[in-house]
C-alpha cells in the first residue's frame, strides 16, 4: 500500500466511479448513475484512493461538518480489500472533521462490518439509547 495516494475527489467521473460501484455490487447506484452524480455534487467531502493513478477506493460524506458528519459511501475494489485501505480512507475523512459532534453511518448488519467500524471507534446507536429509522425508495 506504499504506492497508495489519498486525495480529494474534485469532480464526478462516471467512467472511473461506476466501475468501482459495480465491482462491489452497489447496483442501486449503477442502475441510476444520474442519482450518483447528483449525490457526489451534493457531498460535503469525497476522497479517492489511487494506486498508480487507478481509482482503488472512495469515501464520501454528507452533512454540515460541525454537528453531523454522515459517512455515506466507503468502497474499496475487491483486490484491495482487507489490506487497510478502507480504514485509511475512513481515518483521512474523520481527520478533516475532528470537532464534529456526531459521526453517523448505516451499513449492513454483519459481523465483519461490526468489527471494521467498531475498530474505527464507532458504536451501535443502541449503545447511546438511539434508534435508526430509514425510508428507502
Amino acid at each position: 500500500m506504499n504506492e497508495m495516494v489519498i486525495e480529494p475527489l474534485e469532480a464526478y467521473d462516471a467512467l472511473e466511479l461506476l466501475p468501482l460501484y459495480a465491482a462491489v455490487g452497489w447496483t442501486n447506484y449503477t442502475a441510476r448513475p444520474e442519482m450518483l452524480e447528483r449525490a457526489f455534487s451534493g457531498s460535503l467531502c469525497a476522497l479517492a484512493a489511487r494506486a498508480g493513478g487507478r481509482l482503488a477506493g472512495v469515501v464520501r460524506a454528507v452533512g454540515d461538518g460541525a454537528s453531523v458528519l454522515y459517512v455515506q459511501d466507503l468502497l474499496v475494489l475487491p483486490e484491495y480489500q482487507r489490506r487497510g485501505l478502507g480504514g485509511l480512507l475512513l481515518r483521512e475523512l474523520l481527520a478533516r472533521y475532528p470537532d464534529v459532534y456526531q459521526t453517523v453511518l448505516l451499513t449492513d448488519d454483519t459481523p465483519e462490518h461490526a468489527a471494521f467500524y467498531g475498530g474505527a471507534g464507532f458504536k451501535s446507536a443502541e449503545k447511546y439509547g438511539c434508534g435508526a429509522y430509514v425510508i428507502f425508495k
Side-chain angles (χ1 to χ4, degrees):
M1 287 239 312
N2 52 0
E3 71 205 66
M4 201 62 62
V5 174
I6 307 296
E7 62 187 12
L9 189 63
E10 301 291 344
Y12 175 83
D13 181 349
L15 293 178
E16 81 172 351
L17 284 166
L18 288 174
L20 172 62
Y21 280 77
V24 297
W26 286 26
T27 57
N28 186 47
Y29 289 113
T30 58
R32 299 189 291 181
E34 68 287 347
M35 179 183 69
L36 184 60
E37 182 174 9
R38 284 193 328 269
F40 265 88
S41 70
S43 297
L44 178 65
C45 181
L47 301 175
R50 297 187 187 281
R54 179 179 176 223
L55 186 65
V58 68
V59 64
R60 182 173 74 85
V62 297
D64 57 30
S67 67
V68 66
L69 179 71
Y70 188 95
V71 181
Q72 176 58 39
D73 297 348
L74 176 58
L75 301 88
V76 174
L77 281 174
E79 65 205 71
Y80 290 98
Q81 291 177 6
R82 306 221 187 291
R83 294 174 51 190
L85 182 54
L88 178 61
L89 279 165
L90 188 57
R91 285 189 303 278
E92 289 284 331
L93 174 69
L94 298 178
R96 292 169 183 263
Y97 303 95
D99 299 320
V100 73
Y101 175 68
Q102 60 181 339
T103 302
V104 180
L105 64 89
L106 288 177
T107 189
D108 296 333
D109 189 14
T110 67
E112 295 83 10
H113 285 117
F116 175 79
Y117 289 109
F122 286 82
K123 306 227 181 316
S124 169
E126 295 171 354
K127 302 260 189 224
Y128 296 104
C130 297
Y133 304 92
V134 180
I135 296 174
F136 285 106
K137 294 183 180 181

